[in-house]
Amino acid sequence: MTRREAWATALIVFAVALLVRAAASAATVFPRPEDSAYYVGVARNLVEGRGLVSDALWSYATPPLVFPRPAFEVWLPLPSLLAALPMLLLRGDPGGAGGISLEAALRAAQLTSCLLGALLAVLAWRLAADVAAERHLPRGRARTLALGAGLTTAVYLPLVLHATAPDSTTLFGVLAVGGCLLATRILRNPGNASVRDPRLLGLGLLLGAAALTRNEALWMALVWAWLAWRLPNTHRALRVRLVGIVAIVSLVVFVPWAARDWLVFGNPLPGQALANALSVTGYDIFAWQDPPTLGRYLAVGPQRLLQMRVDGIGHNVLTVLLALGLPLSAVGLIALPWGARDRALRPLLLLAAATFAVTSLLFPVATTWGTFLHAAAPVHVLLIVVATGALDSALARLAVRAGWTRQVAWLGAVAAVGGSVFFAAALLPSAGRQATDTARNYAVLGRQLSALGIPLGTGDNVAPIITDFPIWAAEALRTRALALPDETPEAVVSLAQRFGARWLLLSGQERGSWPQVLATGAPKASCFTLVPLPQPADPADAAAIAGARLYKIACPATATTP
C-alpha cells in the first residue's frame, strides 16, 4: 500500500467513524451513566473558573469531605481536561443560569469523544494492517482485512456508545492501542534505544497520558517492561534503556498530578481505588459508617467470595464484551486463541488479559459497576481485529475447498460491518431515549423542588441534599449533593447532621435498601417525613417523576421527664 493509499484509507475510516458518532451523540441530551456526568461537570466547573472541583460528594472514604469537593479522588483528570478545551468556547452561555448549561457542556465534551473515537477506528485499521502484513496476505486481502476492521470499529456499538457519553473509555482506548502499536514497532527494531529515539519518547508520553486517564495504565507499563526485558538477542544495557527511558518520560508526565493528589488528599496514589477491592456490594462505594474493611470482606465466607468472582467474570464476558457487540464479539472471543499467535497483537493481548484478570479476580464487585467496562475499549479493538482476521481466514479456506477462482475475502468485511451496523441501529435509539428521560426527570424535579421553596445552589449558604444519584443531581440541578449510603436510617441521619442536610431525594428508583428500610421501624426511621411533590400539569412531566420521593429529615424531639 502506497503512502497516498494509506492516508486516503485512514481518512475514510476516520470520516465514517466521526459521522456515526456525531449522529449518535446528537440523540443524547444527558450524560449517562453518572461517571460521564462527573467528567463533564468537572470540565464545566474548570471552564467557569471554579477549578477542578465537583459539587457531588459521592464517596466518603477520602478526606477532605468538603464542598466544593476537590475532584478525582478515585478517577483521573485527563478526560475532563480534554473536554474543557471545546467548552472554553461556551463561556457565558445564557442557557446555564450564569454559566454553561449541562446540555451545552455535554455537546462540547461529545466533540472531544467523537474525535477520539474516530481516531480509535483509524488505529484499529492500522493494527489490522499490521496483522495482514505479518500473515503475508495478498494485497487485496490485506486491504480488505484492514479496511473491514477499521470500518467495523467505526460502527461497533460498544465503542459508539462511549462517544455519546464522554468518559475515560475512548481516551484510554486510543492511548492503549496507540501505545501497543508503537511498542510492536520498537520491539521489531529496537535500534540502540537512544534517549533521542522519538519512538521511546512517544511511548513514554502515551503511558504517562494513560496514567492520567485510567489506573489500568499500570498494566500497560508492566506489559511493556516484560516484553522489552524478554527481547531476544539483545544485551542487558539495551533492555535497561528500553524500559528506563519510557519509564522516566511517563513519570515526568504523571508525577505533577501525583504531587497534587498528595497535597489535596494526602496520598499520591488512588488509595480509595484499592479499597474498592474489599467491596462486598456495589453500594459500598457510597459507604458512610460501614466502609469496606478486610475483616468485613473475609466475614462473608469462601463461598460468597468465590461467587463474587464467578459473577465478575460472567459480567465482564457476557455483559461487557459479548452482549452489545454481537455477532462479531462472539466470533472474536471464539477465535482469540488463534489470533494470539500474531506478534502484532501480542502487546494488546497481554494488556487485555491483565486488565480482565485483575478486574475479574481482584475487583469482582466493583467490576459489575463499571471497572472493566471503562477499561475495555482496547479489548473491543482486539476482538474486532481477531474476528475480522478469522473471517478472512475462514473464507480463504472455503474458497480453496470450493475451487473458487475469485477472492471472497470482502464477504467477511461486509459481514463484520453489516452485523455491527444492524445492532447499532437497533439499540442506539434506546440509549438516546434513556438519556432524554433522565434529562426530563431532573428538569421536572428541579422545578418541583423550587416550587416547595427548597433552596438549590452551590453557594456556602445552601445546604446539600442527600440523593440516590448525587452526580446527576449536582450537575443537572446545579446544587450540592451527597450520596445516599445503603445503610441504616440512623447512619443517614448522622450524614445529614454532619453536612447540615435537611432533605432526602429519591429520583424514582429503588436504591439498595431504600426507601423500604423506612417501613421496618429501624432506629431513627421516624426522622424521615415523606413530603408530596407538587403534581405537574403536563402528564408527561408527571410521568417523569412518578416514582420520585422527597423526605424531610428532622428527628422528633425526645421527651424528657420533669
Side-chain angles (χ1 to χ4, degrees), residues 254-463:
F254 181 73
V255 162
W257 180 256
R260 178 265 187 187
D261 275 0
W262 202 344
L263 292 173
V264 174
F265 301 120
N267 188 345
L269 301 175
Q272 186 175 334
L274 298 178
N276 289 343
L278 301 178
S279 296
V280 295
T281 77
Y283 296 107
D284 281 347
I285 60 174
F286 308 122
W288 170 245
Q289 288 189 345
D290 189 23
T293 63
L294 180 59
R296 178 175 173 267
Y297 184 73
L298 296 177
V300 303
Q303 183 175 354
R304 174 59 183 147
L305 293 175
L306 177 61
Q307 186 61 47
M308 288 179 186
R309 281 146 184 83
V310 172
D311 294 342
I313 292 172
H315 172 84
N316 288 347
V317 172
L318 300 177
T319 303
V320 176
L321 296 180
L322 189 62
L324 294 180
L326 287 169
L328 194 71
S329 55
V331 176
L333 284 170
I334 293 170
L336 196 56
W338 289 271
R341 294 177 295 183
D342 294 307
R343 286 185 174 274
L345 296 178
R346 191 158 299 170
L348 191 57
L349 177 67
L350 291 173
L351 172 61
T355 303
F356 181 87
V358 171
T359 56
S360 300
L361 301 178
L362 299 185
F363 298 87
V365 173
T367 200
T368 62
W369 282 56
T371 301
F372 181 67
L373 171 70
H374 296 299
V379 190
H380 287 303
V381 171
L382 174 66
L383 293 181
I384 290 169
V385 174
V386 168
T388 51
L391 291 173
D392 170 83
S393 298
L395 287 168
R397 287 193 293 270
L398 178 62
V400 171
R401 290 183 180 181
W404 295 339
T405 58
R406 293 185 177 182
Q407 290 290 342
V408 292
W410 59 271
L411 287 174
V414 170
V417 176
S420 298
V421 167
F422 176 80
F423 263 76
L427 298 179
L428 275 174
S430 174
R433 285 192 298 271
Q434 290 177 351
T436 300
D437 292 343
T438 305
R440 186 163 201 158
N441 174 268
Y442 279 96
V444 177
L445 283 175
R447 293 196 295 269
Q448 305 314 97
L449 293 176
S450 297
L452 288 172
I454 297 175
L456 301 175
T458 59
D460 292 338
N461 60 333
V462 178

Side-chain angles (χ1 to χ4, degrees), residues 1 25 36 78 177 205 287 321 407 411 544:
M1 182 183 300
S25 296
S36 176
L78 191 55
V177 176
L205 291 174
L321 296 180
Q407 290 290 342
L411 287 174

Side-chain angles (χ1 to χ4, degrees), residues 43 46 77-87 108-109 112-113 116 171 175 213:
L46 179 63
L78 191 55
S80 286
L81 296 177
L82 292 181
L85 296 177
M87 219 175 285
T112 302
S113 61
L116 289 169
L171 176 58
L175 297 170
T213 304

